[in-house]
Amino acid sequence: MNYVADVKPAERKVTTLAALNANQQAAIRRIPAEVDAVVEPLEATRPNAIFTGQERFDAEQAKIFRRYPVPVTVSALLPEPGMVVAHDGYGVPLLISRIRSGEVKAFINACQHKGSKLLEDCEVHKRGRVTCPYHAWTYGIDGKLIGVARNDAFLNLDKAQRGLVELPAREWGGVIYVHLNRNVEPDWSQLHDQIADDFTALGIPEAFVYGRKTFDLKANWKVILEPFLEGYHVQRLHAASIGDLFQDAPNIVDMFGANIRQVSGRIGYIPEMLDEDPSQNVHKLVTHAYTAFPNCVVVTSQYYTSVMILMPRAPDRTTVEYFMLTPGAPVTDKAREVFERSFKLILDVFGGEDFRAAEISQVGLAAGVPETTVYCGLEGNIVRYYEALEALL
């Protein structure tokens, strides 16, 4: 089935093979024809406790999510200077802004008077300042305290010492990363330059946020992540939706530190298709799926890219923020119809199928079954990723 209708190329930008970087192109050219793909059997297991145990969850928080910078949102959510958004996904109240220079800043979303949140929703705002709803202290989105109500009532109040608490932030291939722990020097070493280059070639930094949705899921973050690391489930879990678009074959996999890039051919793929039309959209033929350290998933589709950030809140609870990115805003009725239908479908697939599978799996895992999860040759990326995580724990 076609889950994105054909749209004339002139109506929007498409990604050709030549538009990708040399490393991406080389990986795509390693994809075998569907009939030549071979699945190597695998023997691997992981204990139940990595999905259910408080000790494992605490270790991940201390040694990964509070030790290294983590993704909080996409650059495209704040496309212009003077934009600011609050973020609560990791249990830390954040303000993310793009200041006049174009630089991204991150702050604790707490007034320096009594700690009140400055922005209470998580919508994007276009403004140069934010005002505390409690006592009306006002800050620029660069973090400076610029106004205090009844300033005359304070003795020796130095506004320069009461600016917002800033956290280290960086844009990486169109994803905004923030270091959440103020007591540890940020270590950016896990953010590999190749992944940032790949994301840039895919157009993520300049994309348009067509759709955005937050899910509060009753499942461990790794249980939610697993389907995006393997192809074993696609023709089964997604049998009624997108399963017939993808072959039941292993991906071409490259690891860059703890970051994984997978590329795979669609149904009926043969390498000769790549050179039939240099102007064609390469995503008609192949799919990219990335797991960017430690919890950002990027999946390409024919006319849009899905970005998901999986934020652990407890051993059995995860907040997922989903973004549907397009090369630009829809400018025709046809494009609007395609994007609307695509957004609905992808939420149905991810939300109604992948996320549902994670939640019903967590129920059994919480009951202690299975004691160990077993992985097959179509799930090898899961094991590779866990090995990379375990090296950091």
Side-chain angles (χ1 to χ4, degrees):
M1 66 181 278
N2 290 322
Y3 68 105
V4 177
D6 289 335
V7 179
K8 294 178 181 178
E11 293 180 359
R12 67 177 63 89
K13 176 186 174 183
V14 298
T15 301
T16 65
L17 180 64
L20 300 178
N21 62 53
N23 195 287
Q24 287 171 308
Q25 293 183 45
I28 288 172
R29 290 197 178 278
R30 286 158 46 207
I31 302 173
E34 179 182 351
V35 296
D36 296 328
V38 176
V39 178
E40 295 291 341
L42 174 68
E43 182 179 6
T45 62
R46 284 298 184 278
N48 179 289
I50 75 167
F51 307 113
T52 59
Q54 187 68 46
E55 182 178 352
R56 173 59 181 261
F57 178 82
D58 292 343
E60 291 172 349
Q61 289 296 300
K63 297 183 179 181
I64 295 176
F65 291 95
R66 296 300 189 269
R67 175 67 183 87
Y68 297 96
V70 292
V72 295
T73 191
V74 292
S75 299
L77 194 67
L78 304 171
E80 301 172 4
M83 305 187 87
V84 60
V85 65
H87 185 280
D88 294 328
Y90 290 99
V92 178
L94 300 176
L95 279 181
I96 314 298
S97 66
R98 190 176 297 280
I99 63 175
R100 182 176 299 179
S101 67
E103 181 184 3
V104 163
K105 294 279 189 178
F107 306 97
I108 298 293
N109 183 14
C111 180
Q112 284 279 30
H113 180 214
K114 292 192 175 179
S116 171
K117 276 188 173 184
L118 302 169
L119 288 181
E120 298 176 76
D121 62 43
C122 291
E123 300 303 315
V124 179
H125 298 271
K126 183 70 180 290
R127 58 175 70 169
R129 59 184 61 188
V130 289
T131 298
C132 176
Y134 195 177
H135 291 98
W137 284 29
T138 298
Y139 300 82
I141 63 169
D142 60 358
K144 294 178 181 178
L145 177 59
I146 58 178
V148 174
R150 289 303 305 267
N151 186 65
D152 60 302
F154 291 89
L155 182 64
N156 298 325
L157 176 65
D158 184 354
K159 290 200 292 288
Q161 300 300 315
R162 289 280 174 170
L164 298 179
V165 172
E166 185 170 1
L167 299 174
R170 183 179 297 182
E171 293 184 88
W172 180 68
V175 181
I176 296 172
Y177 274 70
V178 176
H179 187 64
L180 300 177
N181 188 346
R182 291 184 286 152
N183 300 316
V184 176
E185 192 69 22
D187 181 350
W188 303 92
S189 62
Q190 297 298 328
L191 305 187
H192 199 284
D193 289 344
Q194 183 62 56
I195 301 296
D197 191 30
D198 282 16
F199 287 0
T200 299
L202 292 170
I204 291 174
E206 297 81 29
F208 172 75
V209 179
Y210 175 83
R212 174 186 175 212
K213 183 175 175 63
T214 300
F215 298 84
D216 188 5
L217 302 178
K218 296 176 181 178
N220 184 271
W221 72 281
K222 298 183 297 299
V223 176
I224 299 166
L225 176 64
E226 285 197 359
F228 301 101
L229 284 165
E230 51 91 349
Y232 183 35
H233 77 287
V234 176
Q235 291 192 10
R236 290 124 196 126
L237 179 63
H238 302 311
S241 55
I242 62 171
D244 60 352
L245 293 174
F246 299 93
Q247 55 176 302
D248 200 5
N251 302 310
I252 298 299
V253 179
D254 291 293
M255 291 195 70
F256 304 96
N259 304 273
I260 294 185
R261 179 182 66 196
Q262 311 167 70
V263 289
S264 56
R266 297 208 172 198
I267 288 290
Y269 175 82
I270 57 173
E272 290 77 12
M273 291 176 172
L274 293 172
D275 300 308
E276 290 176 353
D277 178 5
S279 67
Q280 71 182 324
N281 187 340
V282 70
H283 297 309
K284 289 183 177 180
L285 306 176
V286 303
T287 297
H288 287 84
Y290 293 83
T291 298
F293 179 84
N295 57 327
C296 180
V297 174
V298 173
V299 182
T300 62
S301 298
Q302 190 168 333
Y303 295 113
Y304 62 93
T305 298
S306 294
V307 179
M308 283 168 283
I309 300 175
L310 285 55
M311 295 165 279
R313 302 300 297 271
D316 59 353
R317 182 185 168 215
T318 305
T319 298
V320 178
E321 188 160 21
Y322 171 82
F323 301 90
M324 175 176 157
L325 304 183
T326 58
V331 296
T332 66
D333 289 342
K334 182 65 174 177
R336 282 186 282 271
E337 186 271 330
V338 169
F339 286 2
E340 181 180 358
R341 184 155 40 86
S342 299
F343 186 55
K344 181 182 183 304
L345 179 69
I346 204 67
L347 292 182
D348 288 344
V349 170
F350 288 166
E353 297 175 4
D354 290 295
F355 297 165
R356 179 183 66 86
E359 289 193 315
I360 61 177
S361 293
Q362 191 72 36
V363 174
L365 290 166
V369 179
E371 293 183 2
T372 60
T373 296
V374 61
Y375 298 98
C376 73
L378 287 168
E379 301 173 293
N381 281 338
I382 298 174
V383 178
R384 295 184 187 98
Y385 187 64
Y386 287 169
E387 288 172 347
L389 286 185
E390 289 156 5
L392 300 174
L393 292 176

